[in-house]
Amino acid sequence: MSEHRRKPQHPEGGGRAAARRAAQQRPGRGGRSGHDVPTASPSGPYGDQPGHGTRAEARRAAAGRGGRGAAKAGRGTGRPDKRLINYPRSDKDGWKRFVPSWKLVGGTALGFFAIITAGAGIGIASVNTPDANKTAHAQNNVFYWADDTQMVATGGSMNRQIVPIGKIPRSMQNAVIAAENESFESDKGVDPMGIARAVWNMAKGGSTQGGSTITQQYVKNTYLDSDQTLKRKVTELFISIKLGVSEEKNTILAGYLNTAYYGRDAYGIQAAARAYFGKDSQELTPSEGAFLAAVLKGPNLYNPDGGIGTAATPQLNTERAKQRWAWVLDREVTVGRMQQSEREQYKEFPKIIESEQARNMSGQIGYMVDTAKAYVMKTKGLTAEDLAKGGYQIRTTFDKPKVDALVKAVEETRNGLLDEKKRPNTDTFVQVGAASVDVKTGALVALYGGPGFDKKHFTNNANTTGVQVGSTWKPYVLAAAMQYGTQNSNGSGISADSKYMANDLTVINNREGKPLRDGSGKPFKQKNESPTAYGYVTLNEAMEKSINVPFAQLIFDVGHSKVKGVAQATGILPESFDPSDNASFALGTSTPSAIRMADSYATFAASGTHHEPYSVRSVQKDGKDLAGFEAPKAQQAMDNSIADNITKVLRNVVENGTGKKAMKLGRPAAGKTGTTDDNKSAWFVGYTPELSTSVALFRSDPNAEKKELLSMKGVGDIPSLHGGDIPAEIWTKYMKDALNGVPEKDFPEPDKIGVTADASGAPSPTPSTSPSPSASMVTPPPSSEPPASPTPSKGGKPSCKPWELYCDPDTTGGTSTGTSNGGASTSPSPSTSTSKPGGRGGVTGFPAGGTAG
């Protein structure tokens, strides 16, 4: 090497001095890296320094930004990296240090694959293949009365039989393969896409999706627990893979058909063949096999008997089953498992025998069991199939003596008044739904759902929707007026002494004081049932006589949203509200169930305290208590003074009005009658301080293709049937027996509340108030049409004919098909107590045309 190349650099230049200066700069960031830069000792021989590379790096370090530059230089050519994994990479500079080498990527992928493979191998080796025989020993579900005596046991091993593949017709096998898993005979037992969907759904927090292959479904069926966990899904996957490579397809198919749930408490193809067709599995026709394959999609929705939930009615289930049955047969042709010529032979839906399960669940047992099942499913997130696997001990709230009393009241009243042979055009198809709730707890103590499953009546009338409640809705309108006031009271709550026009065919004004318009654009006139010219009456009297006009106007003065809020706070479900904000909403075109109406009125009986209705006290699974079945906590739905004043008004209905038949009870009671257009439904909902009970009466042909309500005019030889007739008679008979021996108790004396805010045009020129807050009254423009008569109330009562057993001289009502321009409330203020302030309260807000009392 030439002499000038070996010559040391000048001190002010680069070389060792520059390297030392670079290492000393910015110690906070470059200090550590600077130590990696090799420098010669001042006392060492010059020739010991690294050659050309070191001097170049020194120059870069000197020209860079101190220690940071030195650090970068040092990373590239420092001492050899002794880490097991060279990442970040020591032989690269800058961002390149964080780009993994192909060796690292390949090694990582290979290692990950090896771990997964080893784990899967261990998992597959460690799991056992399912045994269809084990499912044949599943337990019953046992239901208990409120006193813990046994009500009924359902399901169980008696209805689970294992048959070999040779006793399962090939046509049945073809139907299931075509409908459920076309590639069954060639796949490896799992569906990767189905697995990915299940994992993705679970990761998002949604419900897990079941296995999509027959093999996966067979594995799932062998698990008698319902835990939707990742561990269980992985275990099922391992078993499915193992089965796919180790078992014959016939073994898997037989296992699936022997463990699947077909409804009617039938597990397995043999039990299903007996349950639906009364024959052994080997005798099934291709049409019957297609039906059973259709039911496998979901017995709760495809069993023609009906299922649990509003979407699982016998009518809807039958329609779905027929469509699915036809699709299965067509699908067999499409995938080559049936000839088109054979398919043409099956045009008629197969005939199904009467359910043995129905015979075992006679009377009210079936309705109570379904009600309890629905409560358990909702509380624990179970499916009907989960429950059918058995092992549950379910203790209900149903009180056997009260259930027997309700059945007796219904049957005695029907037998005494209805004669289907004598009056086939009126007395046939008359149905009753009823429910009774404990006021203090919300416990459902009794119900009447119909004649019974054994009579082929599978719809629970106590929990049915679609039957309008009529004038039993009016208390919610009055309660909202007491709570929030009207536009005539300047936001202060009003009293039941406020007067409203009650004449038949009075024009109803909207919130702007302008007449509502009917379909032809003319001012809408609300109809009462009676043409009596009542003039202006108090809301108390309007409720007593169930006059429509005052409440049709009141709901606009209060606001539809406020009425909906009050109804919901007492337990009425919003999905049962009539969505139309018209005048008829005030008169009961909403369709809550008998259970919900009984529970809602219990809120008035309990001075504004609401309890959600419940039918199950506790549940055990395999002897262990399940959480979540404590009695629902009480909630204050409205001010106690408002609830007690509603009770006072409804006591007057029983004592002086349309509910007089209930006076036979012989103890304090409050209630309201309800009758709808053309007498298509009639209700009585009433309560004592102990029990709240609702009774609904309606006509509907269960065998008609189009389900509709029929008029009840002439039923029981009553020209115009009302809620104060048969429903009130049933209510009174039941309550007498149910409260027999219970000490008589009176309702609380209500506080005086509200201002007297008469409607526009009332004779009183100024509103009178109780000695509390003064309210400046805002009077909207008067109706465009003057009232027909200013005649005061209490006049024009219709007289009763001697032969009219259920005529009531005070019975009035009405019908309506009105429309409206809206009902938004402008005042959120709660009602103001005017004498003794009501104690507790607060209504939460939330959503029914023409009816009579």
Side-chain angles (χ1 to χ4, degrees):
M1 186 176 292
S2 62
E3 188 66 25
H4 75 274
R5 298 279 300 220
R6 294 174 55 87
K7 186 176 179 180
Q9 297 293 329
H10 294 289
E12 63 274 9
R16 288 176 291 176
R20 284 194 298 272
R21 286 194 299 271
Q24 292 167 1
Q25 291 180 13
R26 299 181 67 186
R29 295 186 64 178
R32 181 177 177 183
S33 298
H35 290 167
D36 292 336
V37 179
T39 58
S41 171
S43 58
Y46 190 76
D48 289 343
Q49 270 188 290
H52 181 78
T54 302
R55 295 173 62 193
E57 288 177 355
R59 285 196 298 273
R60 286 196 299 271
R65 298 179 61 186
R68 185 174 182 179
K72 290 183 178 180
R75 288 179 185 131
T77 56
R79 59 179 177 269
D81 196 310
K82 296 182 179 181
R83 292 176 296 172
L84 179 62
I85 299 177
N86 184 21
Y87 189 83
R89 299 170 66 182
S90 62
D91 58 340
K92 296 293 183 180
D93 294 330
W95 60 268
K96 294 180 180 180
R97 298 179 65 240
F98 298 98
V99 178
S101 66
W102 67 268
K103 292 181 179 180
L104 179 61
V105 173
T108 301
L110 185 61
F112 181 75
F113 180 76
I115 293 172
I116 293 296
T117 302
I122 295 172
I124 293 172
S126 63
V127 296
N128 296 318
T129 55
D131 182 0
N133 289 287
K134 291 182 178 179
T135 65
H137 300 290
Q139 297 173 293
N140 288 319
N141 286 326
V142 184
F143 294 81
Y144 298 89
W145 293 100
D147 63 0
D148 286 331
T149 57
Q150 183 172 317
M151 177 191 298
V152 68
T154 66
S157 59
M158 68 185 71
N159 212 19
R160 303 170 193 239
Q161 289 179 268
I162 303 301
V163 295
I165 193 70
K167 290 191 175 182
I168 303 175
R170 186 64 192 177
S171 60
M172 178 70 206
Q173 300 175 40
N174 286 335
V176 172
I177 293 172
E180 307 254 339
N181 186 186
E182 175 189 349
S183 63
F184 168 71
E185 292 177 338
S186 59
D187 64 36
K188 300 301 181 184
V190 296
D191 175 15
M193 292 304 297
I195 295 169
R197 286 194 302 270
V199 172
W200 174 248
N201 213 33
M202 198 182 306
K204 293 191 300 180
S207 60
T208 58
Q209 297 180 4
S212 57
T213 69
I214 286 176
T215 304
Q216 288 173 269
Q217 292 181 65
Y218 169 40
V219 173
K220 180 182 178 183
N221 290 343
T222 63
Y223 283 85
L224 297 182
D225 63 85
S226 57
D227 294 337
Q228 297 292 331
T229 61
L230 182 60
K231 177 182 177 182
R232 199 190 88 164
K233 300 301 293 185
V234 171
T235 303
E236 289 177 8
L237 174 62
F238 286 158
I239 297 175
S240 299
I241 295 173
K242 186 172 184 176
L243 281 179
V245 298
S246 65
E247 291 287 355
E248 295 289 336
K249 290 293 184 178
N250 277 348
T251 302
I252 296 172
L253 182 59
Y256 171 59
L257 293 175
N258 277 308
T259 58
Y261 180 60
Y262 296 80
R264 287 193 171 183
D265 273 346
Y267 269 88
I269 184 63
Q270 171 65 11
R274 300 297 306 175
Y276 287 100
F277 302 110
K279 59 177 65 174
D280 292 328
S281 59
Q282 64 263 34
E283 300 172 357
L284 290 170
T285 68
S287 176
E288 293 166 345
F291 166 78
L292 293 179
V295 171
L296 284 175
K297 184 173 177 64
N300 193 58
L301 294 177
Y302 289 85
N303 176 5
D305 300 339
I308 298 173
T310 56
T313 65
Q315 178 188 9
L316 294 176
N317 280 19
T318 299
E319 292 175 0
R320 278 190 289 261
K322 288 181 177 180
Q323 292 174 3
R324 180 75 175 175
W325 165 79
W327 178 86
V328 170
L329 290 170
D330 292 338
R331 180 67 177 165
E332 289 186 69
V333 175
T334 301
V335 301
R337 292 185 174 272
M338 179 183 283
Q339 296 296 322
Q340 182 64 41
S341 58
E342 184 182 4
R343 167 68 181 91
E344 296 298 328
Q345 300 175 26
Y346 307 116
K347 299 292 187 181
E348 296 292 329
F349 190 67
K351 186 177 180 180
I352 298 171
I353 66 171
E354 181 183 346
S355 172
E356 180 71 27
Q357 177 190 15
R359 288 196 291 271
N360 293 336
M361 304 254 278
S362 61
Q364 302 308 302
I365 298 294
Y367 308 123
M368 291 186 290
V369 166
D370 275 3
T371 301
K373 280 183 178 180
Y375 191 83
V376 173
M377 288 163 57
K378 180 180 178 181
T379 302
K380 300 303 294 183
L382 303 177
T383 65
E385 288 76 12
D386 292 332
L387 270 180
K389 290 177 180 178
Y392 293 90
Q393 295 81 48
I394 301 170
R395 287 171 168 77
T396 75
T397 60
F398 295 111
D399 185 292
K400 189 175 188 305
K402 289 183 174 64
V403 173
D404 292 342
L406 186 53
V407 172
K408 179 183 176 183
V410 172
E411 291 181 350
E412 284 186 353
T413 304
R414 287 181 62 97
N415 294 338
L417 294 175
L418 305 184
D419 191 334
E420 296 183 13
K421 293 182 179 179
K422 185 177 180 181
R423 295 182 292 272
N425 294 329
T426 58
D427 289 10
T428 54
F429 309 134
V430 176
Q431 300 188 39
V432 177
S436 187
V437 169
D438 187 305
V439 166
K440 297 180 179 64
T441 65
L444 185 57
V445 297
L447 60 75
Y448 184 88
F453 287 4
D454 54 320
K455 300 296 195 309
K456 298 184 179 181
H457 185 97
F458 297 103
T459 300
N460 183 359
N461 290 344
N463 201 33
T464 191
T465 57
V467 180
Q468 294 180 349
V469 295
S471 293
T472 60
W473 195 260
K474 290 173 181 175
Y476 305 124
V477 184
L478 180 57
M482 290 179 172
Q483 178 83 11
Y484 296 106
T486 68
Q487 56 189 11
N488 296 339
S489 69
N490 198 28
S492 296
I494 69 172
S495 77
D497 293 328
S498 301
K499 292 181 180 179
Y500 270 71
M501 169 53 64
N503 285 341
D504 189 31
L505 298 176
T506 295
V507 172
I508 304 300
N509 293 332
N510 62 21
R511 290 188 65 79
E512 288 72 42
K514 299 178 180 179
L516 301 180
R517 299 290 172 176
D518 60 21
S520 64
K522 297 179 180 178
F524 168 70
K525 300 177 181 180
Q526 177 61 55
K527 180 173 176 54
N528 293 328
E529 185 181 27
S530 167
T532 301
Y534 294 104
Y536 282 90
V537 302
T538 66
L539 293 173
N540 183 55
E541 185 176 347
M543 189 77 75
E544 171 193 319
K545 293 181 170 64
S546 200
I547 308 172
N548 287 340
V549 168
F551 293 97
Q553 183 60 60
L554 181 61
I555 196 168
F556 284 97
D557 293 348
V558 176
H560 288 73
S561 63
K562 296 295 188 293
V563 176
K564 294 172 185 177
V566 167
Q568 186 180 358
T570 64
I572 302 298
L573 300 177
E575 52 264 35
S576 67
F577 291 164
D578 183 341
S580 302
D581 285 352
N582 53 24
S584 298
F585 183 87
L587 310 179
T589 51
S590 293
T591 58
S593 67
I595 292 175
R596 284 287 166 178
M597 287 301 290
D599 175 70
S600 176
Y601 270 48
T603 305
F604 299 135
S607 296
T609 301
H610 174 244
H611 299 82
E612 272 292 293
Y614 70 104
S615 57
V616 175
R617 298 174 290 123
S618 67
V619 177
Q620 289 184 328
K621 176 68 164 68
D622 299 327
K624 297 181 180 179
D625 289 325
L626 300 186
F629 293 97
E630 303 80 12
K633 294 182 179 179
Q635 295 181 330
Q636 196 67 29
M638 66 181 65
D639 192 283
N640 65 313
S641 61
I642 293 174
D644 291 342
N645 271 274
I646 292 294
T647 293
K648 181 179 180 181
V649 172
L650 297 186
R651 286 191 70 172
N652 185 54
V653 172
V654 170
E655 294 168 4
N656 303 301
T658 59
K660 276 186 177 179
K661 296 292 187 297
M663 283 288 288
K664 296 177 185 178
L665 179 61
R667 62 167 70 209
K672 183 69 186 77
T673 58
T675 309
T676 60
D677 286 352
D678 202 26
N679 297 125
K680 289 185 177 180
S681 64
W683 289 73
F684 186 80
V685 187
Y687 53 89
T688 67
E690 300 83 15
L691 281 181
S692 176
T693 302
S694 64
V695 179
L697 195 75
F698 58 96
R699 285 186 71 208
S700 178
D701 182 356
N703 300 315
E705 278 195 33
K706 183 180 179 182
K707 298 298 180 183
E708 59 183 357
L709 296 180
L710 307 174
S711 175
M712 291 191 294
K713 290 182 177 180
V715 166
D717 207 21
I718 303 171
S720 182
L721 192 146
H722 295 83
D725 298 317
I726 295 177
E729 188 77 10
I730 293 172
W731 183 93
T732 305
K733 287 182 177 180
Y734 161 71
M735 294 289 278
K736 268 188 174 182
D737 283 349
L739 295 172
N740 185 30
V742 176
E744 183 178 310
K745 184 179 179 181
D746 204 351
F747 294 106
E749 183 65 28
D751 296 329
K752 189 171 183 179
I753 63 168
V755 298
T756 302
D758 298 339
S760 172
S764 175
T766 58
S768 63
T769 67
S770 299
S772 100
S774 59
S776 60
M777 310 309 295
V778 179
T779 304
S783 168
S784 60
E785 294 191 13
S789 168
T791 306
S793 60
K794 291 288 183 183
K797 296 181 181 179
S799 59
C800 291
K801 304 295 189 298
W803 50 267
E804 292 182 306
L805 177 63
Y806 288 95
C807 171
D808 191 305
D810 288 333
T811 298
T812 61
T815 59
S816 156
T817 55
T819 59
S820 76
N821 299 339
S825 175
T826 59
S827 173
S829 306
S831 64
T832 303
S833 183
T834 60
S835 179
K836 301 175 184 177
R840 316 170 294 273
V843 175
T844 57
F846 238 86
T851 55

